[in-house]
Amino acid sequence: MNLEQAIYQRRSVRRYLADPVPEEAVQKLLEYAMAAPSACNKKPWEFYAVTNPELLGKLKHTHMFTNYNSPMVIIVAGNLKKALPGKQKAFWIQDCSAAVENILLGALELGLGTCWCGLHPNDKAADAVREALGAEEHIVPLGLLHIGYPAETPEARTQFDEKKVHYLK
Amino acid sequence: MNLEQAIYQRRSVRRYLADPVPEEAVQKLLEYAMAAPSACNKKPWEFYAVTNPELLGKLKHTHMFTNYNSPMVIIVAGNLKKALPGKQKAFWIQDCSAAVENILLGALELGLGTCWCGLHPNDKAADAVREALGAEEHIVPLGLLHIGYPAETPEARTQFDEKKVHYLK
C-alpha cells in the first residue's frame, strides 16, 4: 500500500470479522513496530500478542473503550528497566507511541484494521492489564491495540487545521 | 513509496543538502501529522515550521543532539489547553508522538530525510525551544524534527528482537 493512502486510511476500527490474524501478519506488525525510532536507541518496549480467548475477554474489560470484538490484541508496554535514567526515563512513552503508530499504519498494508486504546497514564487500566498479562511491576502497558480484519471502513481523512500551524520564515 | 519500505527506511539523517524544502512538501507533512490518532480526538498539538535562519541557529543550539545542518525544522508541541483534563492530560505526549512518526514516515514519500530530537521531558531543552519560538507557557515542545534532502542514506532496517515478544495463545 502507498504510504500516503495508509496515513489517511488509518482510522479507528471498532467492528471486526471473526477471521483470525495469520501468524505471519503478527510477525510483520512486530517487525514494523521495532523499526520505530527510540531515544538513544534504548528500545524500552515489550509486545504482548494475545489471542487466548479467556485472556482477551479479561483484557477487553479493563476499561470502557476496549470492548471491541477483535480476534486479537497487541499490548505495547514500556520496560522501565530498559528506559533512560532519571528524568529522561519518560522518553519510553514517546518510543512506544512511535512503535504503536508503525503497527497501526503497517496493519493497513496487511489488510487489517486497528484501534488504539490508551492505558498509561490511566493507572487503573494499565495496572489491570499488567496484572492480566502476569507482567512485573517495571512493565507499564501503554496501549491496547485491537487488530483484525475490518467489518467497517471509516473514510480516509486528515484533520489538518491551519490554525495549528505556525510558519516562522 | 511503499509503506513497508518507508517503515524500514525511516532512519535518523544527520547530514543534509542545502536545498530548501518546498512549501508544498511542508504542507503535506503537516497533513500527514494531523492524520495521526489522538486520545478522544482532542488533537492537542501545534506545529512550528521554522526556516528563518537566525531562529534555526538558535533552536539548533538548544541541546547537544540538535545541531545538524537541515534547512528547516518542524517543532511538534503539545497544547495543554487542548489536552484532556486531570491525569489524562498526559495523553498529549502519545498524540504528539504519533504525529511525529507520521511526519518521519511521510517525509520519505517526499524524498526527504528527518531526525527526531527529543525535547520534553528534558525541561531545559523544552523551555529553551518554547522561549525561542515565543510560545506561551501552555505550549510544551515535544520534539524538534530536522527535515531536508538527505546527504546520507542510512541502511533500511528493523530492530526486531524476539525476546521482546510475548505470545499469549
Side-chain angles (χ1 to χ4, degrees):
Chain A
M1 175 180 267
N2 173 283
L3 176 61
E4 178 164 341
Q5 266 180 294
I7 286 175
Y8 293 145
Q9 190 58 60
R10 186 232 44 85
R11 298 286 309 276
S12 293
V13 168
R14 295 184 171 89
R15 293 190 309 113
Y16 297 89
L17 303 178
D19 309 59
V21 179
E23 289 188 12
E24 312 77 66
V26 177
Q27 168 76 20
K28 268 286 175 209
L29 292 178
L30 297 170
E31 289 174 12
Y32 295 153
M34 290 185 239
S38 76
C40 301
N41 201 26
K42 281 287 181 186
K43 298 165 281 180
W45 44 45
E46 304 283 337
F47 302 90
Y48 298 83
V50 182
T51 49
N52 177 282
E54 197 187 333
L55 182 53
L56 267 184
K58 210 186 266 185
L59 288 170
K60 288 181 181 180
H61 284 88
T62 50
H63 73 57
M64 59 194 273
F65 298 118
T66 56
N67 195 17
Y68 306 135
N69 72 331
S70 63
M72 79 166 300
V73 305
I74 292 179
I75 311 285
V76 178
N79 181 337
L80 299 190
K81 286 192 178 168
K82 302 278 173 71
L84 284 162
K87 195 148 194 197
Q88 316 253 61
K89 182 180 282 185
F91 274 118
W92 75 266
I93 299 167
Q94 299 176 46
D95 301 340
C96 285
S97 299
V100 167
E101 186 64 1
N102 274 12
I103 293 176
L104 304 185
L105 293 171
L108 289 155
E109 177 89 6
L110 304 163
L112 293 162
T114 58
C115 186
W116 178 1
C117 300
L119 299 170
H120 172 86
N122 177 341
D123 291 334
K124 206 173 142 191
D127 290 348
V129 167
R130 181 199 294 111
E131 194 175 319
L133 295 174
E136 293 182 76
E137 278 294 314
H138 63 281
I139 303 299
V140 186
L142 180 91
L144 180 156
L145 315 184
H146 289 275
I147 300 177
Y149 293 100
E152 62 180 17
T153 305
E155 208 181 339
R157 71 168 181 199
T158 171
Q159 296 191 96
F160 178 81
D161 177 354
E162 63 180 11
K163 289 193 300 295
K164 295 172 182 288
V165 180
H166 316 273
Y167 290 102
L168 300 162
K169 297 182 186 178
Chain B
M1 176 179 268
N2 173 283
L3 176 61
E4 179 164 340
Q5 266 180 293
I7 287 176
Y8 293 144
Q9 192 57 61
R10 185 232 44 83
R11 297 288 308 277
S12 293
V13 167
R14 295 183 172 87
R15 291 191 310 114
Y16 297 89
L17 304 177
D19 310 61
V21 179
E23 290 189 11
E24 313 78 65
V26 177
Q27 168 76 20
K28 268 286 176 208
L29 292 177
L30 297 170
E31 289 175 12
Y32 296 152
M34 291 186 240
S38 77
C40 301
N41 201 25
K42 281 287 181 187
K43 298 166 281 179
W45 44 45
E46 305 285 336
F47 302 90
Y48 298 82
V50 182
T51 50
N52 178 284
E54 197 188 334
L55 183 52
L56 267 185
K58 208 186 269 187
L59 288 171
K60 288 181 182 181
H61 285 88
T62 51
H63 73 62
M64 59 194 271
F65 299 119
T66 56
N67 195 18
Y68 307 134
N69 72 331
S70 63
M72 77 166 301
V73 305
I74 293 179
I75 311 284
V76 179
N79 181 337
L80 299 189
K81 285 192 177 168
K82 300 278 172 72
L84 284 163
K87 195 147 193 196
Q88 317 254 59
K89 180 180 283 185
F91 274 118
W92 75 265
I93 299 167
Q94 299 176 46
D95 302 341
C96 285
S97 300
V100 167
E101 186 64 2
N102 274 12
I103 293 175
L104 303 186
L105 292 171
L108 289 155
E109 176 90 6
L110 304 163
L112 294 163
T114 58
C115 187
W116 178 2
C117 300
L119 300 170
H120 172 86
N122 178 341
D123 291 336
K124 205 173 142 191
D127 290 348
V129 168
R130 180 199 295 111
E131 195 174 317
L133 295 173
E136 293 181 76
E137 278 294 314
H138 63 280
I139 303 298
V140 185
L142 181 91
L144 180 156
L145 314 184
H146 289 275
I147 299 177
Y149 292 100
E152 62 179 17
T153 305
E155 206 182 339
R157 71 167 182 199
T158 171
Q159 295 191 97
F160 178 80
D161 177 354
E162 63 180 11
K163 290 193 298 297
K164 295 173 180 288
V165 180
H166 314 274
Y167 290 102
L168 299 162
K169 296 182 186 177

Short mmCIF file of all heavy atoms in Angstrom, two decimals, chain B residues 12-60:
data_model
loop_
_atom_site.label_atom_id
_atom_site.label_comp_id
_atom_site.label_asym_id
_atom_site.label_seq_id
_atom_site.Cartn_x
_atom_site.Cartn_y
_atom_site.Cartn_z
N SER B 12 17.42 7.97 11.30
CA SER B 12 17.85 9.34 11.60
C SER B 12 18.90 9.79 10.59
O SER B 12 19.93 9.14 10.44
CB SER B 12 18.42 9.41 13.01
OG SER B 12 17.39 9.17 13.94
N VAL B 13 18.60 10.91 9.92
CA VAL B 13 19.53 11.50 8.96
C VAL B 13 20.20 12.68 9.64
O VAL B 13 19.53 13.53 10.21
CB VAL B 13 18.77 11.95 7.68
CG1 VAL B 13 19.65 12.84 6.81
CG2 VAL B 13 18.28 10.73 6.91
N ARG B 14 21.53 12.69 9.61
CA ARG B 14 22.25 13.74 10.34
C ARG B 14 23.04 14.67 9.42
O ARG B 14 23.67 15.61 9.88
CB ARG B 14 23.16 13.09 11.41
CG ARG B 14 22.33 12.38 12.48
CD ARG B 14 23.15 11.78 13.60
NE ARG B 14 22.28 11.29 14.68
CZ ARG B 14 21.75 10.07 14.73
NH1 ARG B 14 21.99 9.20 13.79
NH2 ARG B 14 20.96 9.74 15.74
N ARG B 15 22.99 14.41 8.09
CA ARG B 15 23.63 15.31 7.14
C ARG B 15 22.66 15.61 6.00
O ARG B 15 22.05 14.69 5.44
CB ARG B 15 24.93 14.69 6.59
CG ARG B 15 26.02 14.59 7.67
CD ARG B 15 27.41 14.23 7.11
NE ARG B 15 27.34 13.06 6.24
CZ ARG B 15 27.57 13.06 4.94
NH1 ARG B 15 27.90 14.19 4.32
NH2 ARG B 15 27.49 11.95 4.25
N TYR B 16 22.52 16.89 5.68
CA TYR B 16 21.50 17.32 4.72
C TYR B 16 22.10 18.15 3.60
O TYR B 16 23.12 18.84 3.81
CB TYR B 16 20.44 18.15 5.44
CG TYR B 16 19.68 17.37 6.50
CD1 TYR B 16 20.14 17.31 7.81
CD2 TYR B 16 18.52 16.68 6.18
CE1 TYR B 16 19.47 16.57 8.78
CE2 TYR B 16 17.84 15.95 7.14
CZ TYR B 16 18.31 15.89 8.43
OH TYR B 16 17.64 15.15 9.38
N LEU B 17 21.45 18.12 2.45
CA LEU B 17 21.79 19.05 1.38
C LEU B 17 21.26 20.44 1.75
O LEU B 17 20.36 20.55 2.59
CB LEU B 17 21.18 18.57 0.06
CG LEU B 17 21.57 17.15 -0.36
CD1 LEU B 17 20.84 16.75 -1.65
CD2 LEU B 17 23.08 17.03 -0.55
N ALA B 18 21.77 21.45 1.08
CA ALA B 18 21.33 22.81 1.42
C ALA B 18 19.98 23.17 0.78
O ALA B 18 19.32 24.12 1.21
CB ALA B 18 22.39 23.81 0.96
N ASP B 19 19.54 22.41 -0.21
CA ASP B 19 18.29 22.73 -0.92
C ASP B 19 17.13 22.93 0.06
O ASP B 19 16.94 22.13 0.96
CB ASP B 19 17.90 21.58 -1.86
CG ASP B 19 19.06 21.16 -2.74
OD1 ASP B 19 20.11 20.73 -2.19
OD2 ASP B 19 18.90 21.28 -3.96
N PRO B 20 16.36 23.98 -0.17
CA PRO B 20 15.22 24.21 0.72
C PRO B 20 14.12 23.15 0.51
O PRO B 20 14.04 22.53 -0.55
CB PRO B 20 14.71 25.59 0.29
CG PRO B 20 15.20 25.78 -1.10
CD PRO B 20 16.48 25.01 -1.21
N VAL B 21 13.32 22.97 1.52
CA VAL B 21 12.18 22.06 1.43
C VAL B 21 11.02 22.84 0.83
O VAL B 21 10.64 23.89 1.36
CB VAL B 21 11.81 21.53 2.84
CG1 VAL B 21 10.61 20.60 2.76
CG2 VAL B 21 13.00 20.84 3.48
N PRO B 22 10.45 22.38 -0.30
CA PRO B 22 9.37 23.15 -0.93
C PRO B 22 8.17 23.32 0.02
O PRO B 22 7.88 22.42 0.81
CB PRO B 22 8.97 22.27 -2.13
CG PRO B 22 10.12 21.34 -2.35
CD PRO B 22 10.77 21.14 -1.02
N GLU B 23 7.49 24.46 -0.13
CA GLU B 23 6.35 24.72 0.77
C GLU B 23 5.27 23.66 0.65
O GLU B 23 4.60 23.32 1.63
CB GLU B 23 5.77 26.11 0.47
CG GLU B 23 6.73 27.21 0.92
CD GLU B 23 6.14 28.61 0.86
OE1 GLU B 23 4.91 28.74 0.66
OE2 GLU B 23 6.91 29.57 1.01
N GLU B 24 5.09 23.12 -0.57
CA GLU B 24 4.05 22.10 -0.74
C GLU B 24 4.41 20.83 0.03
O GLU B 24 3.52 20.10 0.50
CB GLU B 24 3.87 21.71 -2.21
CG GLU B 24 3.75 22.88 -3.19
CD GLU B 24 5.12 23.50 -3.50
OE1 GLU B 24 5.95 22.80 -4.10
OE2 GLU B 24 5.35 24.67 -3.14
N ALA B 25 5.70 20.57 0.15
CA ALA B 25 6.14 19.39 0.91
C ALA B 25 5.86 19.60 2.40
O ALA B 25 5.40 18.68 3.10
CB ALA B 25 7.62 19.11 0.67
N VAL B 26 6.12 20.80 2.89
CA VAL B 26 5.85 21.10 4.30
C VAL B 26 4.35 20.94 4.58
O VAL B 26 3.94 20.33 5.58
CB VAL B 26 6.32 22.53 4.66
CG1 VAL B 26 5.96 22.85 6.10
CG2 VAL B 26 7.82 22.67 4.42
N GLN B 27 3.54 21.48 3.67
CA GLN B 27 2.09 21.34 3.81
C GLN B 27 1.68 19.87 3.89
O GLN B 27 0.89 19.47 4.75
CB GLN B 27 1.43 22.03 2.60
CG GLN B 27 -0.05 21.76 2.40
CD GLN B 27 -0.94 22.53 3.36
OE1 GLN B 27 -0.51 23.54 3.94
NE2 GLN B 27 -2.17 22.05 3.56
N LYS B 28 2.23 19.04 3.03
CA LYS B 28 1.94 17.60 3.03
C LYS B 28 2.32 16.97 4.36
O LYS B 28 1.57 16.19 4.95
CB LYS B 28 2.76 16.90 1.93
CG LYS B 28 2.05 16.79 0.62
CD LYS B 28 0.97 15.73 0.70
CE LYS B 28 0.16 15.66 -0.58
NZ LYS B 28 -1.21 15.17 -0.30
N LEU B 29 3.52 17.31 4.84
CA LEU B 29 3.98 16.73 6.12
C LEU B 29 3.01 17.06 7.24
O LEU B 29 2.74 16.23 8.11
CB LEU B 29 5.38 17.26 6.47
CG LEU B 29 6.52 16.79 5.57
CD1 LEU B 29 7.83 17.45 6.00
CD2 LEU B 29 6.66 15.27 5.59
N LEU B 30 2.47 18.28 7.21
CA LEU B 30 1.55 18.68 8.28
C LEU B 30 0.18 18.02 8.11
O LEU B 30 -0.50 17.71 9.08
CB LEU B 30 1.44 20.21 8.31
CG LEU B 30 2.79 20.89 8.64
CD1 LEU B 30 2.70 22.39 8.43
CD2 LEU B 30 3.23 20.57 10.07
N GLU B 31 -0.20 17.75 6.86
CA GLU B 31 -1.43 16.98 6.64
C GLU B 31 -1.26 15.56 7.17
O GLU B 31 -2.18 14.99 7.77
CB GLU B 31 -1.80 16.97 5.16
CG GLU B 31 -2.29 18.33 4.68
CD GLU B 31 -2.54 18.40 3.17
OE1 GLU B 31 -2.57 17.35 2.52
OE2 GLU B 31 -2.71 19.53 2.67
N TYR B 32 -0.09 14.98 6.94
CA TYR B 32 0.20 13.64 7.48
C TYR B 32 0.16 13.67 9.00
O TYR B 32 -0.43 12.80 9.64
CB TYR B 32 1.58 13.15 7.03
CG TYR B 32 1.74 12.94 5.54
CD1 TYR B 32 3.00 13.06 4.94
CD2 TYR B 32 0.67 12.60 4.74
CE1 TYR B 32 3.18 12.84 3.58
CE2 TYR B 32 0.84 12.40 3.37
CZ TYR B 32 2.09 12.52 2.80
OH TYR B 32 2.26 12.32 1.45
N ALA B 33 0.81 14.67 9.57
CA ALA B 33 0.89 14.76 11.04
C ALA B 33 -0.51 14.77 11.64
O ALA B 33 -0.79 14.06 12.61
CB ALA B 33 1.64 16.04 11.44
N MET B 34 -1.39 15.56 11.05
CA MET B 34 -2.73 15.73 11.63
C MET B 34 -3.70 14.64 11.19
O MET B 34 -4.90 14.72 11.45
CB MET B 34 -3.25 17.14 11.34
CG MET B 34 -2.46 18.19 12.12
SD MET B 34 -3.12 19.87 11.97
CE MET B 34 -1.71 20.72 11.26
N ALA B 35 -3.18 13.62 10.54
CA ALA B 35 -3.97 12.40 10.30
C ALA B 35 -3.69 11.37 11.40
O ALA B 35 -4.26 10.29 11.40
CB ALA B 35 -3.63 11.80 8.93
N ALA B 36 -2.83 11.72 12.35
CA ALA B 36 -2.49 10.80 13.44
C ALA B 36 -3.68 10.67 14.39
O ALA B 36 -4.51 11.57 14.50
CB ALA B 36 -1.26 11.31 14.19
N PRO B 37 -3.74 9.55 15.09
CA PRO B 37 -4.79 9.39 16.09
C PRO B 37 -4.51 10.27 17.30
O PRO B 37 -3.35 10.59 17.57
CB PRO B 37 -4.69 7.92 16.47
CG PRO B 37 -3.26 7.54 16.21
CD PRO B 37 -2.82 8.40 15.05
N SER B 38 -5.54 10.65 18.04
CA SER B 38 -5.32 11.32 19.32
C SER B 38 -6.41 10.87 20.29
O SER B 38 -7.54 10.60 19.87
CB SER B 38 -5.28 12.84 19.15
OG SER B 38 -6.56 13.39 19.00
N ALA B 39 -6.04 10.78 21.56
CA ALA B 39 -6.96 10.27 22.58
C ALA B 39 -8.20 11.15 22.63
O ALA B 39 -8.10 12.37 22.76
CB ALA B 39 -6.26 10.23 23.93
N CYS B 40 -9.37 10.53 22.50
CA CYS B 40 -10.65 11.24 22.48
C CYS B 40 -10.69 12.33 21.40
O CYS B 40 -11.45 13.28 21.51
CB CYS B 40 -11.00 11.85 23.83
SG CYS B 40 -11.09 10.61 25.14
N ASN B 41 -9.86 12.15 20.39
CA ASN B 41 -9.78 13.08 19.25
C ASN B 41 -9.58 14.54 19.69
O ASN B 41 -10.12 15.48 19.10
CB ASN B 41 -11.02 12.97 18.36
CG ASN B 41 -10.78 13.50 16.93
OD1 ASN B 41 -9.64 13.53 16.46
ND2 ASN B 41 -11.84 13.94 16.28
N LYS B 42 -8.76 14.72 20.74
CA LYS B 42 -8.53 16.07 21.28
C LYS B 42 -7.58 16.89 20.41
O LYS B 42 -7.58 18.11 20.47
CB LYS B 42 -7.97 15.97 22.71
CG LYS B 42 -9.03 15.67 23.75
CD LYS B 42 -9.88 16.90 23.98
CE LYS B 42 -10.95 16.67 25.02
NZ LYS B 42 -11.88 17.81 25.13
N LYS B 43 -6.70 16.19 19.68
CA LYS B 43 -5.73 16.88 18.82
C LYS B 43 -5.01 18.04 19.54
O LYS B 43 -5.02 19.18 19.05
CB LYS B 43 -6.45 17.40 17.56
CG LYS B 43 -7.05 16.30 16.71
CD LYS B 43 -8.04 16.83 15.68
CE LYS B 43 -9.36 17.10 16.36
NZ LYS B 43 -10.43 17.62 15.53
N PRO B 44 -4.37 17.72 20.67
CA PRO B 44 -3.75 18.80 21.47
C PRO B 44 -2.36 19.14 20.97
O PRO B 44 -1.39 19.11 21.73
CB PRO B 44 -3.70 18.17 22.87
CG PRO B 44 -3.48 16.70 22.59
CD PRO B 44 -4.18 16.41 21.27
N TRP B 45 -2.26 19.45 19.67
CA TRP B 45 -0.93 19.66 19.08
C TRP B 45 -0.82 20.98 18.34
O TRP B 45 -1.80 21.57 17.90
CB TRP B 45 -0.61 18.49 18.14
CG TRP B 45 -1.70 18.03 17.22
CD1 TRP B 45 -2.52 18.81 16.46
CD2 TRP B 45 -2.10 16.68 16.98
NE1 TRP B 45 -3.40 18.03 15.75
CE2 TRP B 45 -3.16 16.71 16.04
CE3 TRP B 45 -1.65 15.43 17.42
CZ2 TRP B 45 -3.79 15.55 15.58
CZ3 TRP B 45 -2.28 14.28 16.95
CH2 TRP B 45 -3.32 14.36 16.05
N GLU B 46 0.41 21.45 18.25
CA GLU B 46 0.75 22.66 17.47
C GLU B 46 2.03 22.35 16.71
O GLU B 46 2.87 21.58 17.19
CB GLU B 46 1.00 23.86 18.39
CG GLU B 46 -0.13 24.21 19.36
CD GLU B 46 -1.33 24.91 18.70
OE1 GLU B 46 -1.15 25.54 17.62
OE2 GLU B 46 -2.43 24.82 19.27
N PHE B 47 2.18 22.96 15.54
CA PHE B 47 3.33 22.67 14.68
C PHE B 47 3.99 23.98 14.28
O PHE B 47 3.33 24.88 13.76
CB PHE B 47 2.88 21.90 13.44
CG PHE B 47 2.18 20.61 13.79
CD1 PHE B 47 0.80 20.57 13.98
CD2 PHE B 47 2.91 19.44 13.96
CE1 PHE B 47 0.16 19.39 14.34
CE2 PHE B 47 2.29 18.25 14.31
CZ PHE B 47 0.90 18.22 14.50
N TYR B 48 5.29 24.06 14.53
CA TYR B 48 6.07 25.25 14.18
C TYR B 48 7.03 24.86 13.06
O TYR B 48 7.94 24.05 13.28
CB TYR B 48 6.83 25.75 15.41
CG TYR B 48 5.90 26.18 16.53
CD1 TYR B 48 5.37 25.23 17.40
CD2 TYR B 48 5.53 27.50 16.70
CE1 TYR B 48 4.48 25.61 18.41
CE2 TYR B 48 4.64 27.89 17.72
CZ TYR B 48 4.13 26.93 18.56
OH TYR B 48 3.25 27.29 19.56
N ALA B 49 6.78 25.42 11.89
CA ALA B 49 7.64 25.13 10.73
C ALA B 49 8.63 26.29 10.59
O ALA B 49 8.24 27.42 10.26
CB ALA B 49 6.79 25.00 9.47
N VAL B 50 9.88 26.00 10.87
CA VAL B 50 10.89 27.06 11.00
C VAL B 50 11.92 27.01 9.88
O VAL B 50 12.62 26.00 9.71
CB VAL B 50 11.62 26.95 12.35
CG1 VAL B 50 12.62 28.10 12.50
CG2 VAL B 50 10.64 26.92 13.51
N THR B 51 11.99 28.09 9.11
CA THR B 51 13.04 28.22 8.10
C THR B 51 13.87 29.48 8.32
O THR B 51 14.90 29.66 7.67
CB THR B 51 12.44 28.28 6.67
OG1 THR B 51 11.39 29.25 6.66
CG2 THR B 51 11.87 26.93 6.26
N ASN B 52 13.43 30.35 9.20
CA ASN B 52 14.17 31.58 9.50
C ASN B 52 15.58 31.23 10.00
O ASN B 52 15.72 30.54 11.02
CB ASN B 52 13.42 32.38 10.57
CG ASN B 52 14.14 33.64 10.96
OD1 ASN B 52 15.13 33.60 11.69
ND2 ASN B 52 13.68 34.77 10.45
N PRO B 53 16.62 31.71 9.28
CA PRO B 53 17.98 31.26 9.60
C PRO B 53 18.42 31.59 11.02
O PRO B 53 19.04 30.76 11.69
CB PRO B 53 18.85 32.02 8.58
CG PRO B 53 17.91 32.42 7.48
CD PRO B 53 16.57 32.62 8.12
N GLU B 54 18.07 32.76 11.50
CA GLU B 54 18.50 33.16 12.84
C GLU B 54 17.85 32.26 13.90
O GLU B 54 18.50 31.74 14.81
CB GLU B 54 18.13 34.63 13.08
CG GLU B 54 18.87 35.26 14.24
CD GLU B 54 18.32 36.66 14.55
OE1 GLU B 54 17.75 37.31 13.62
OE2 GLU B 54 18.45 37.08 15.71
N LEU B 55 16.53 32.05 13.72
CA LEU B 55 15.80 31.21 14.66
C LEU B 55 16.28 29.76 14.59
O LEU B 55 16.44 29.08 15.61
CB LEU B 55 14.29 31.31 14.38
CG LEU B 55 13.37 30.55 15.32
CD1 LEU B 55 13.64 30.89 16.79
CD2 LEU B 55 11.91 30.85 14.98
N LEU B 56 16.52 29.30 13.37
CA LEU B 56 17.06 27.94 13.18
C LEU B 56 18.35 27.77 13.98
O LEU B 56 18.54 26.76 14.67
CB LEU B 56 17.38 27.69 11.71
CG LEU B 56 16.33 27.03 10.83
CD1 LEU B 56 16.92 26.77 9.45
CD2 LEU B 56 15.81 25.75 11.45
N GLY B 57 19.24 28.76 13.86
CA GLY B 57 20.51 28.69 14.57
C GLY B 57 20.29 28.60 16.07
O GLY B 57 20.93 27.79 16.76
N LYS B 58 19.36 29.40 16.57
CA LYS B 58 19.09 29.42 18.00
C LYS B 58 18.52 28.05 18.45
O LYS B 58 18.95 27.47 19.44
CB LYS B 58 18.05 30.53 18.27
CG LYS B 58 18.14 31.13 19.64
CD LYS B 58 17.02 32.12 19.90
CE LYS B 58 17.36 33.55 19.53
NZ LYS B 58 16.29 34.49 19.95
N LEU B 59 17.57 27.55 17.67
CA LEU B 59 16.92 26.28 18.03
C LEU B 59 17.91 25.12 18.04
O LEU B 59 17.86 24.24 18.89
CB LEU B 59 15.80 25.96 17.05
CG LEU B 59 14.55 26.82 17.17
CD1 LEU B 59 13.62 26.55 15.99
CD2 LEU B 59 13.84 26.54 18.50
N LYS B 60 18.80 25.15 17.06
CA LYS B 60 19.72 24.02 16.92
C LYS B 60 20.75 23.97 18.03
O LYS B 60 21.48 22.99 18.15
CB LYS B 60 20.40 24.06 15.56
CG LYS B 60 19.43 23.70 14.42
CD LYS B 60 20.13 23.71 13.09
CE LYS B 60 19.18 23.41 11.96
NZ LYS B 60 19.88 23.40 10.67
#
